[in-house]
Amino acid sequence: MNVACLGYGVVGQGVVELLKKDDRFKVIWILVKDLKECDLPEATTDVQQILKDNEVDMVIEMMGGIEFPYFCISESLKRGKHVVTSNKAVLQAHYRELIELAEKNHVSLGMEASVCGGIPWITTLLNQNQTGEIDRVEGIFNGTTNYILDRMHAEHLDFDEILKDAQRLGYAESDPSDDIDGKDSLRKLMISSSIAFKTVTDMDSFTSESLRKIKKYDIEAFERKGLRCRYIASAQKEGDCYTGSVEPTLFKSTDVQATIKLNNNLALLNHSALGTLQLIGQGAGRYPTANAVVQDVVQIYGHRDMMPQMNQVLSAQPSMQNCRLYVRASNDAMNEILPWIEEKEGLSGWTKSITQQEKKELIARMMNLDSDFFYAIIK
Ligand SMILES: NC(=O)c1ccc[n+]([C@@H]2O[C@H](COP(=O)([O-])OP(=O)(O)OC[C@H]3O[C@@H](n4cnc5c(N)ncnc54)[C@H](OP(=O)(O)O)[C@@H]3O)[C@@H](O)[C@H]2O)c1
């Protein structure tokens, strides 16, 4: 099978290396921005050369971004080429359209590497969907934020200090906003919940809270209660409604979520026959991610791949479940929400069980009074 690779960065180099060891595949093109990036004879800067080449059976997109990848993926599918992508941003932005385009042109669209890198999560969702119903997906979908939280708990250092270290070690981007403000997890939650619930979920309907305001002070308050914080993406289906969120969440130190170390990921599903299934592993990195890409390539080659279904009509709805929160704010702001607080400790407090509407009001009020306000959900 002849393959064209678009992008020769961290993932692209890993994929080319793995494919070159496998006789079933021949990498005939590598798209780069500048020929200086790659001294292999397959390198080109001309995407049209690839798209027009009838010898190309499969295109693997590993560039990142949205517009240009969208053009390359949609054009490849229209020309009857299978596509594999590791790019969650383009999938989230054009999910329905790209799947429909693949189906219309009788080709496959593989997306295993787009969520949780090396964990075979997408394949697991697609497989489990064959035999029952998935009504919950949850996970630690972002390695950077888990790395920061795990080290904050272990070393009692402040967020910024560990973020700088993570950037120096290559665990965090120079602009970490998508990771620490939740967009990366939200995109992965949209893809996971869409596959799990056989629909197209709306990312804008999900609740989210940035992790960037968490302090050493909060970590110490959690630990006094035997709790650990993790940045959790979660979506549930109930009847014909779904709800989703990405929020700092507190677990008992013995819960599996609390035990996920450094930049590892966790992906969890709840299935009508199987019950709860948890997968733990590397969510990023050259070889774990390249392995996930090549898994898709091999499945498509062997005609064993599956496409997500989108035949369920579900509507987004705020969660109906009561919750308890940890909150930390200035004294003045805390005084404003005293009726909701069960236990106060310095600048922080633990709320009583409150409805989702009360939670929304509380957060809106606190944000108004104190831009440094931080909360976490208690599981
Ligand atoms: N790294 C991971 O562990 C990981 C895990 C899961 C998923 N992913 C996803 O995989 C994709 C690639 O990630 P990565 O870490 O490999 O990124 P990367 O190291 O930045 O590699 C992307 C490469 O594509 C090149 N590129 C960008 N636009 C291009 C264009 N128009 N024409 C030709 N080449 C172009 C970039 O060149 P320039 O640098 O010159 O722009 C870069 O060399 C992203 O969507 C990412 O979210 C990555």
Side-chain angles (χ1 to χ4, degrees):
M1 183 176 250
N2 289 329
V3 174
C5 292
L6 316 185
Y8 195 61
V10 174
V11 182
Q13 288 179 36
V15 167
V16 170
E17 188 183 325
L18 294 184
L19 288 178
K20 286 201 167 197
K21 291 181 193 156
D22 192 326
D23 291 343
R24 292 172 292 183
F25 307 107
K26 191 159 182 241
V27 177
I28 58 172
W29 294 112
I30 300 171
L31 183 72
V32 290
K33 270 192 194 160
D34 187 328
L35 286 176
K36 281 186 223 131
E37 285 171 39
C38 175
D39 57 8
L40 297 171
E42 299 88 349
T44 175
T45 56
D46 182 4
V47 72
Q48 289 299 338
Q49 208 169 9
I50 298 174
L51 295 173
K52 286 181 187 157
D53 185 348
N54 292 329
E55 298 294 305
V56 174
D57 303 303
M58 185 184 297
V59 169
I60 309 179
E61 187 279 307
M62 302 164 284
M63 296 181 290
I66 297 182
E67 272 178 43
F68 185 62
Y70 168 67
F71 167 77
C72 299
I73 295 172
S74 53
E75 281 304 306
S76 301
L77 294 171
K78 282 180 202 163
R79 290 166 199 242
K81 301 178 196 309
H82 300 294
V83 172
V84 171
T85 179
S86 58
N87 181 342
K88 71 226 131 208
V90 72
L91 282 170
Q92 183 271 317
H94 296 284
Y95 186 82
R96 180 183 289 281
E97 191 187 342
L98 292 178
I99 292 170
E100 285 177 347
L101 207 48
E103 280 168 352
K104 190 174 160 203
N105 291 284
H106 310 289
V107 285
S108 299
L109 174 65
M111 55 186 84
E112 181 58 74
S114 65
V115 185
C116 291
I119 302 178
W121 170 234
I122 302 290
T123 308
T124 302
L125 290 173
L126 291 166
N127 266 320
Q128 295 308 321
N129 254 341
Q130 304 290 307
T131 51
E133 209 176 297
I134 299 170
D135 65 3
R136 181 162 72 103
V137 287
E138 184 180 303
I140 295 172
F141 291 161
N142 183 269
T144 305
T145 43
N146 203 64
Y147 177 86
I148 294 172
L149 287 172
D150 196 41
R151 282 198 54 196
M152 283 181 87
H153 275 286
E155 298 167 45
H156 289 212
L157 296 172
D158 247 321
F159 182 89
D160 289 339
E161 210 171 324
I162 299 174
L163 174 61
K164 276 195 200 110
D165 220 22
Q167 286 170 318
R168 190 178 55 78
L169 294 166
Y171 291 139
E173 309 267 346
S174 51
D175 176 3
S177 314
D178 277 3
D179 292 325
I180 65 180
D181 293 332
K183 196 159 187 186
D184 179 78
S185 295
L186 283 167
R187 284 174 165 150
K188 292 169 176 169
L189 183 64
M190 182 271 165
I191 297 169
S192 305
S193 56
S194 295
I195 297 174
F197 307 157
K198 301 180 183 168
T199 190
V200 183
T201 57
D202 174 12
M203 191 174 94
D204 294 335
S205 75
F206 298 159
T207 315
S208 73
E209 168 68 0
S210 169
L211 191 68
R212 66 167 78 221
K213 288 181 285 177
I214 192 169
K215 294 184 193 304
K216 183 168 77 175
Y217 180 95
D218 304 313
I219 298 283
E220 287 169 351
F222 306 154
E223 290 193 345
R224 282 194 291 278
K225 297 249 181 233
L227 299 172
R228 281 180 156 251
C229 184
R230 291 292 182 257
Y231 201 37
I232 296 291
S234 170
Q236 289 80 32
K237 179 169 81 104
E238 209 172 294
D240 52 9
C241 295
Y242 67 87
T243 167
S245 61
V246 172
E247 289 170 314
T249 308
L250 304 178
F251 296 91
K252 288 192 212 84
S253 56
T254 48
D255 288 345
V256 66
Q257 289 86 344
T259 63
I260 305 304
K261 292 279 166 220
L262 298 171
N263 62 337
N264 281 292
N265 280 194
L266 163 75
L268 177 157
L269 62 82
N270 195 58
H271 182 270
S272 50
L274 180 64
T276 302
L277 175 71
Q278 296 156 345
L279 304 173
I280 298 168
Q282 270 297 323
R286 170 167 294 166
Y287 293 109
T289 312
N291 184 62
V293 169
V294 176
Q295 286 281 329
D296 270 345
V297 173
V298 170
Q299 294 298 312
I300 294 171
Y301 173 80
H303 306 288
R304 289 189 301 269
D305 60 296
M306 280 177 278
M307 289 290 281
Q309 294 172 35
M310 300 181 289
N311 51 12
Q312 298 294 307
V313 183
L314 304 179
S315 54
Q317 190 179 291
S319 167
M320 302 301 280
Q321 282 177 359
N322 279 17
C323 63
R324 287 186 67 224
L325 304 181
Y326 162 87
V327 291
R328 188 249 309 137
S330 65
N331 255 329
D332 287 351
M334 284 296 275
N335 286 335
E336 283 290 310
I337 56 157
L338 279 183
W340 280 314
I341 298 291
E342 191 169 73
E343 189 185 335
K344 192 167 177 299
E345 194 189 11
L347 295 177
S348 61
W350 305 83
T351 72
K352 308 176 203 170
S353 174
I354 55 175
T355 64
Q356 291 294 327
Q357 186 53 34
E358 286 174 313
K359 175 189 163 200
K360 208 169 152 190
E361 278 170 38
L362 181 152
I363 293 168
R365 256 162 92 174
M366 296 302 268
M367 292 289 191
N368 246 340
L369 293 164
D370 178 4
S371 58
D372 207 28
F373 163 67
F374 174 78
Y375 78 88
I377 304 285
I378 306 165
K379 270 277 175 170

